Amino acid sequence: MEIDSIISAIIIGIVIGILGRLVVPGRQRIGILLTILVGIVAALIGSAIAAGVGVADTNGVDWVEWLIQIALAALGIAALDRTRARR
């Protein structure tokens, strides 16, 4: 993996994490670094799922891939928020 790929994964992860956080209603009790980490993981897993389904490479913007990534980020943020709430 090249440095450009790592930097772009971090930037996309930040965007995906923030969008996933906006989708989850209410206040979340997780920090911004954990949100970014969830976004990066969601972006990587979402890309793999989109490639497996066959919607990763389209002409123009890959909206379906973005929706999968945002949904995964929202699920991850909601799950982490629930574990933080029980403490």
Side-chain angles (χ1 to χ4, degrees):
M1 189 174 241
E2 297 179 12
I3 191 72
D4 294 342
S5 300
I6 294 170
I7 292 172
S8 65
I10 291 171
I11 292 171
I12 291 171
I14 291 169
V15 172
I16 294 295
I18 291 171
L19 290 174
R21 193 173 180 136
L22 288 174
V23 170
V24 177
R27 182 179 182 275
Q28 293 84 37
R29 295 172 219 44
I30 63 172
I32 190 70
L33 291 177
L34 202 53
T35 300
I36 292 169
L37 182 64
V38 169
I40 291 169
V41 171
L44 294 172
I45 294 173
S47 293
I49 291 172
V53 177
V55 295
D57 294 323
T58 60
N59 295 330
V61 180
D62 298 327
W63 294 109
V64 177
E65 183 177 4
W66 275 82
L67 290 174
I68 292 170
Q69 292 170 339
I70 293 168
L72 288 173
L75 287 172
I77 289 169
L80 284 174
D81 184 46
R82 287 184 181 253
T83 60
R84 298 277 180 168
R86 292 185 181 157
R87 289 185 183 180

